[in-house]
Amino acid sequence: MDEEEDEEAPPLPRHYYEQLKLPERWTCDMPSLGDEPTKDEKQVWKRSQILNEILQTETDYLRDLGVLVGLYLGPLQNEYSYACSQVDLEYIFSNVASLFEVTARLLDSLKKQAERPPEQQCIGQVFMDMMPDLKLYKIYCTNQKASAETVGKVKKSSADFEEFLRRVKVEHPENKNLDFEGQLIKPFQRIVRYSLLLKELCAATPKGWPDHVIISKALAHIELIVKQANEDKRMTDNILKVIEIQKCVSFQGEEVQLGDCMFMEEADLYVHEADAKRHVFLFHNLLLITKKMAKQKFKSTATIRLDSALVWDLPEAIAQQSKKRKFGFQVVGGSTPLTFVFTEEAAAETWRAKITECISVFV
């Protein structure tokens, strides 16, 4: 009896993507400068070149967002909803659909300005008018780590999700054979690039033009958004890291709550009292010493509150006990000090400085 052939998978839906009515790639022929252009003519030509780059890259970026919204999100919310829960989709895609709408309006406004004579263009004002909407990037950037972790989690738990991502990558030419994660990073890359492009546009705009001052203001606002997005992202990443540590550490006796801790560093350090390496988590207010168990699990062996701790030099008697580990220090925060020993002086000084810096905040 012949084996039954595998049923061919139906084609992936394209109608969500086609409904977006995305623009064609931006092309614009730059005018010739002539044989002996003046300094002012060169500057205006350079400005036109930069504006052309803004329009071209903004069009490409809108088309990339169209891939996320139309080829990934649309099908996963409908025909392929069994591959990923709606809650996970919200973590993964965040507010990308809103960013698509913002980008479409921004591109339309930039195109209208590009049709005007260079000295009458108001590119800076376009960005200033869009500034409330551009602040939506802070939400997306803050969510990046949660998005990436959710993608990894769902890939492991849902073969349907992983297969869907694989097919979109290879079957839709608009995806440019990029991994899904490569598409998700595009909005963060774009908000950073706005800053660079506006800086170049400002430098190429004659100072006597009204647009020069407004571009400078828009640039300052964009840089603030990027700074706040980075700060929010770092804070969110830190919170997620602390939650991850809380889940993987088992405590002897009463569990230590890490909710008010800010993660600083972790490493395998040699603890003299244990005569073994221990995995050490350094927080801004706590030193957590753990023993590695199986499958990324840890058992707490000691904790020291840094708001009442001191750092002492390594006792000479301990330094003389080992031929290899002659460098180190002690951290005293309870009845028994903890002694960290190292084979290299530089490593000992580095860790001593990190712990001392955390303690100094409370002095």
PDB file of all heavy atoms in Angstrom, residues 308-327:
ATOM      1  N   SER A 308      24.134  48.172  55.451  1.00  0.00           N
ATOM      2  CA  SER A 308      24.832  48.135  56.740  1.00  0.00           C
ATOM      3  C   SER A 308      26.098  47.287  56.659  1.00  0.00           C
ATOM      4  O   SER A 308      26.527  46.694  57.635  1.00  0.00           O
ATOM      5  CB  SER A 308      23.906  47.585  57.829  1.00  0.00           C
ATOM      6  OG  SER A 308      23.438  46.286  57.467  1.00  0.00           O
ATOM      7  N   ALA A 309      26.677  47.234  55.464  1.00  0.00           N
ATOM      8  CA  ALA A 309      27.836  46.373  55.240  1.00  0.00           C
ATOM      9  C   ALA A 309      29.131  47.171  55.151  1.00  0.00           C
ATOM     10  O   ALA A 309      29.126  48.386  54.925  1.00  0.00           O
ATOM     11  CB  ALA A 309      27.640  45.556  53.964  1.00  0.00           C
ATOM     12  N   LEU A 310      30.230  46.468  55.344  1.00  0.00           N
ATOM     13  CA  LEU A 310      31.566  47.041  55.206  1.00  0.00           C
ATOM     14  C   LEU A 310      32.419  46.111  54.354  1.00  0.00           C
ATOM     15  O   LEU A 310      32.172  44.901  54.288  1.00  0.00           O
ATOM     16  CB  LEU A 310      32.229  47.200  56.581  1.00  0.00           C
ATOM     17  CG  LEU A 310      31.574  48.169  57.581  1.00  0.00           C
ATOM     18  CD1 LEU A 310      32.247  48.016  58.950  1.00  0.00           C
ATOM     19  CD2 LEU A 310      31.675  49.607  57.087  1.00  0.00           C
ATOM     20  N   VAL A 311      33.434  46.684  53.700  1.00  0.00           N
ATOM     21  CA  VAL A 311      34.382  45.888  52.935  1.00  0.00           C
ATOM     22  C   VAL A 311      35.738  45.995  53.612  1.00  0.00           C
ATOM     23  O   VAL A 311      36.244  47.103  53.843  1.00  0.00           O
ATOM     24  CB  VAL A 311      34.480  46.367  51.471  1.00  0.00           C
ATOM     25  CG1 VAL A 311      35.543  45.568  50.723  1.00  0.00           C
ATOM     26  CG2 VAL A 311      33.137  46.210  50.768  1.00  0.00           C
ATOM     27  N   TRP A 312      36.329  44.827  53.931  1.00  0.00           N
ATOM     28  CA  TRP A 312      37.625  44.792  54.599  1.00  0.00           C
ATOM     29  C   TRP A 312      38.671  44.187  53.670  1.00  0.00           C
ATOM     30  O   TRP A 312      38.350  43.441  52.724  1.00  0.00           O
ATOM     31  CB  TRP A 312      37.561  43.926  55.867  1.00  0.00           C
ATOM     32  CG  TRP A 312      36.791  44.540  56.991  1.00  0.00           C
ATOM     33  CD1 TRP A 312      36.315  45.810  57.073  1.00  0.00           C
ATOM     34  CD2 TRP A 312      36.406  43.885  58.205  1.00  0.00           C
ATOM     35  NE1 TRP A 312      35.651  46.006  58.259  1.00  0.00           N
ATOM     36  CE2 TRP A 312      35.700  44.839  58.985  1.00  0.00           C
ATOM     37  CE3 TRP A 312      36.586  42.617  58.724  1.00  0.00           C
ATOM     38  CZ2 TRP A 312      35.175  44.554  60.241  1.00  0.00           C
ATOM     39  CZ3 TRP A 312      36.075  42.324  59.986  1.00  0.00           C
ATOM     40  CH2 TRP A 312      35.381  43.278  60.734  1.00  0.00           C
ATOM     41  N   ASP A 313      39.945  44.492  53.969  1.00  0.00           N
ATOM     42  CA  ASP A 313      41.038  43.861  53.231  1.00  0.00           C
ATOM     43  C   ASP A 313      41.078  42.367  53.526  1.00  0.00           C
ATOM     44  O   ASP A 313      40.581  41.901  54.570  1.00  0.00           O
ATOM     45  CB  ASP A 313      42.380  44.473  53.629  1.00  0.00           C
ATOM     46  CG  ASP A 313      42.512  45.920  53.165  1.00  0.00           C
ATOM     47  OD1 ASP A 313      41.807  46.289  52.207  1.00  0.00           O
ATOM     48  OD2 ASP A 313      43.316  46.670  53.756  1.00  0.00           O
ATOM     49  N   LEU A 314      41.683  41.633  52.610  1.00  0.00           N
ATOM     50  CA  LEU A 314      41.821  40.189  52.798  1.00  0.00           C
ATOM     51  C   LEU A 314      42.808  39.920  53.935  1.00  0.00           C
ATOM     52  O   LEU A 314      43.950  40.393  53.911  1.00  0.00           O
ATOM     53  CB  LEU A 314      42.336  39.543  51.507  1.00  0.00           C
ATOM     54  CG  LEU A 314      42.505  38.019  51.526  1.00  0.00           C
ATOM     55  CD1 LEU A 314      41.143  37.346  51.623  1.00  0.00           C
ATOM     56  CD2 LEU A 314      43.246  37.556  50.276  1.00  0.00           C
ATOM     57  N   PRO A 315      42.391  39.167  54.979  1.00  0.00           N
ATOM     58  CA  PRO A 315      43.319  38.840  56.071  1.00  0.00           C
ATOM     59  C   PRO A 315      44.559  38.119  55.557  1.00  0.00           C
ATOM     60  O   PRO A 315      44.465  37.256  54.681  1.00  0.00           O
ATOM     61  CB  PRO A 315      42.478  37.931  56.978  1.00  0.00           C
ATOM     62  CG  PRO A 315      41.061  38.318  56.682  1.00  0.00           C
ATOM     63  CD  PRO A 315      41.039  38.645  55.224  1.00  0.00           C
ATOM     64  N   GLU A 316      45.712  38.470  56.090  1.00  0.00           N
ATOM     65  CA  GLU A 316      46.976  37.887  55.645  1.00  0.00           C
ATOM     66  C   GLU A 316      46.988  36.370  55.818  1.00  0.00           C
ATOM     67  O   GLU A 316      47.546  35.630  54.987  1.00  0.00           O
ATOM     68  CB  GLU A 316      48.128  38.511  56.443  1.00  0.00           C
ATOM     69  CG  GLU A 316      49.506  38.126  55.943  1.00  0.00           C
ATOM     70  CD  GLU A 316      49.788  38.641  54.533  1.00  0.00           C
ATOM     71  OE1 GLU A 316      49.199  39.667  54.142  1.00  0.00           O
ATOM     72  OE2 GLU A 316      50.573  37.984  53.822  1.00  0.00           O
ATOM     73  N   ALA A 317      46.367  35.912  56.875  1.00  0.00           N
ATOM     74  CA  ALA A 317      46.349  34.464  57.132  1.00  0.00           C
ATOM     75  C   ALA A 317      45.646  33.707  56.013  1.00  0.00           C
ATOM     76  O   ALA A 317      46.068  32.614  55.623  1.00  0.00           O
ATOM     77  CB  ALA A 317      45.657  34.191  58.465  1.00  0.00           C
ATOM     78  N   ILE A 318      44.553  34.273  55.474  1.00  0.00           N
ATOM     79  CA  ILE A 318      43.825  33.621  54.381  1.00  0.00           C
ATOM     80  C   ILE A 318      44.638  33.683  53.099  1.00  0.00           C
ATOM     81  O   ILE A 318      44.698  32.719  52.333  1.00  0.00           O
ATOM     82  CB  ILE A 318      42.436  34.267  54.201  1.00  0.00           C
ATOM     83  CG1 ILE A 318      41.569  34.012  55.432  1.00  0.00           C
ATOM     84  CG2 ILE A 318      41.760  33.740  52.939  1.00  0.00           C
ATOM     85  CD1 ILE A 318      40.195  34.655  55.369  1.00  0.00           C
ATOM     86  N   ALA A 319      45.281  34.824  52.846  1.00  0.00           N
ATOM     87  CA  ALA A 319      46.086  34.980  51.633  1.00  0.00           C
ATOM     88  C   ALA A 319      47.218  33.966  51.591  1.00  0.00           C
ATOM     89  O   ALA A 319      47.600  33.477  50.518  1.00  0.00           O
ATOM     90  CB  ALA A 319      46.640  36.397  51.553  1.00  0.00           C
ATOM     91  N   GLN A 320      47.764  33.611  52.744  1.00  0.00           N
ATOM     92  CA  GLN A 320      48.886  32.688  52.791  1.00  0.00           C
ATOM     93  C   GLN A 320      48.456  31.222  52.689  1.00  0.00           C
ATOM     94  O   GLN A 320      49.306  30.346  52.469  1.00  0.00           O
ATOM     95  CB  GLN A 320      49.662  32.900  54.089  1.00  0.00           C
ATOM     96  CG  GLN A 320      50.388  34.239  54.149  1.00  0.00           C
ATOM     97  CD  GLN A 320      51.074  34.456  55.485  1.00  0.00           C
ATOM     98  OE1 GLN A 320      50.917  33.659  56.417  1.00  0.00           O
ATOM     99  NE2 GLN A 320      51.844  35.542  55.587  1.00  0.00           N
ATOM    100  N   GLN A 321      47.158  30.955  52.841  1.00  0.00           N
ATOM    101  CA  GLN A 321      46.672  29.577  52.797  1.00  0.00           C
ATOM    102  C   GLN A 321      46.656  28.996  51.388  1.00  0.00           C
ATOM    103  O   GLN A 321      46.682  27.782  51.203  1.00  0.00           O
ATOM    104  CB  GLN A 321      45.267  29.481  53.393  1.00  0.00           C
ATOM    105  CG  GLN A 321      45.223  29.657  54.898  1.00  0.00           C
ATOM    106  CD  GLN A 321      43.798  29.604  55.425  1.00  0.00           C
ATOM    107  OE1 GLN A 321      42.885  29.136  54.740  1.00  0.00           O
ATOM    108  NE2 GLN A 321      43.614  30.073  56.654  1.00  0.00           N
ATOM    109  N   SER A 322      46.588  29.862  50.390  1.00  0.00           N
ATOM    110  CA  SER A 322      46.460  29.380  49.014  1.00  0.00           C
ATOM    111  C   SER A 322      47.578  29.929  48.149  1.00  0.00           C
ATOM    112  O   SER A 322      47.941  31.096  48.234  1.00  0.00           O
ATOM    113  CB  SER A 322      45.103  29.807  48.428  1.00  0.00           C
ATOM    114  OG  SER A 322      45.030  29.493  47.060  1.00  0.00           O
ATOM    115  N   LYS A 323      48.125  29.051  47.316  1.00  0.00           N
ATOM    116  CA  LYS A 323      49.156  29.483  46.380  1.00  0.00           C
ATOM    117  C   LYS A 323      48.538  30.172  45.163  1.00  0.00           C
ATOM    118  O   LYS A 323      49.174  31.002  44.520  1.00  0.00           O
ATOM    119  CB  LYS A 323      49.978  28.272  45.923  1.00  0.00           C
ATOM    120  CG  LYS A 323      50.812  27.634  47.021  1.00  0.00           C
ATOM    121  CD  LYS A 323      51.614  26.478  46.466  1.00  0.00           C
ATOM    122  CE  LYS A 323      52.474  25.843  47.559  1.00  0.00           C
ATOM    123  NZ  LYS A 323      53.288  24.703  47.044  1.00  0.00           N
ATOM    124  N   LYS A 324      47.286  29.798  44.828  1.00  0.00           N
ATOM    125  CA  LYS A 324      46.628  30.342  43.636  1.00  0.00           C
ATOM    126  C   LYS A 324      45.848  31.612  43.935  1.00  0.00           C
ATOM    127  O   LYS A 324      45.935  32.590  43.200  1.00  0.00           O
ATOM    128  CB  LYS A 324      45.684  29.295  43.039  1.00  0.00           C
ATOM    129  CG  LYS A 324      46.376  28.093  42.434  1.00  0.00           C
ATOM    130  CD  LYS A 324      45.343  27.162  41.798  1.00  0.00           C
ATOM    131  CE  LYS A 324      46.026  25.979  41.131  1.00  0.00           C
ATOM    132  NZ  LYS A 324      45.031  25.048  40.511  1.00  0.00           N
ATOM    133  N   ARG A 325      45.065  31.608  45.009  1.00  0.00           N
ATOM    134  CA  ARG A 325      44.145  32.719  45.281  1.00  0.00           C
ATOM    135  C   ARG A 325      44.698  33.589  46.416  1.00  0.00           C
ATOM    136  O   ARG A 325      44.350  33.412  47.572  1.00  0.00           O
ATOM    137  CB  ARG A 325      42.742  32.189  45.607  1.00  0.00           C
ATOM    138  CG  ARG A 325      42.141  31.380  44.459  1.00  0.00           C
ATOM    139  CD  ARG A 325      40.749  30.880  44.773  1.00  0.00           C
ATOM    140  NE  ARG A 325      40.179  30.189  43.634  1.00  0.00           N
ATOM    141  CZ  ARG A 325      40.365  28.891  43.375  1.00  0.00           C
ATOM    142  NH1 ARG A 325      41.107  28.152  44.196  1.00  0.00           N
ATOM    143  NH2 ARG A 325      39.828  28.336  42.310  1.00  0.00           N
ATOM    144  N   LYS A 326      45.546  34.531  46.041  1.00  0.00           N
ATOM    145  CA  LYS A 326      46.206  35.381  47.032  1.00  0.00           C
ATOM    146  C   LYS A 326      45.578  36.765  47.146  1.00  0.00           C
ATOM    147  O   LYS A 326      46.034  37.599  47.925  1.00  0.00           O
ATOM    148  CB  LYS A 326      47.691  35.536  46.675  1.00  0.00           C
ATOM    149  CG  LYS A 326      48.493  34.240  46.772  1.00  0.00           C
ATOM    150  CD  LYS A 326      49.934  34.483  46.430  1.00  0.00           C
ATOM    151  CE  LYS A 326      50.760  33.223  46.659  1.00  0.00           C
ATOM    152  NZ  LYS A 326      50.815  32.845  48.088  1.00  0.00           N
ATOM    153  N   PHE A 327      44.555  37.021  46.321  1.00  0.00           N
ATOM    154  CA  PHE A 327      43.941  38.350  46.302  1.00  0.00           C
ATOM    155  C   PHE A 327      42.469  38.238  46.682  1.00  0.00           C
ATOM    156  O   PHE A 327      41.826  37.207  46.444  1.00  0.00           O
ATOM    157  CB  PHE A 327      44.072  38.982  44.908  1.00  0.00           C
ATOM    158  CG  PHE A 327      45.465  38.925  44.350  1.00  0.00           C
ATOM    159  CD1 PHE A 327      45.822  37.958  43.419  1.00  0.00           C
ATOM    160  CD2 PHE A 327      46.429  39.827  44.779  1.00  0.00           C
ATOM    161  CE1 PHE A 327      47.112  37.905  42.904  1.00  0.00           C
ATOM    162  CE2 PHE A 327      47.722  39.781  44.281  1.00  0.00           C
ATOM    163  CZ  PHE A 327      48.067  38.814  43.339  1.00  0.00           C
TER     164      PHE A 327
END
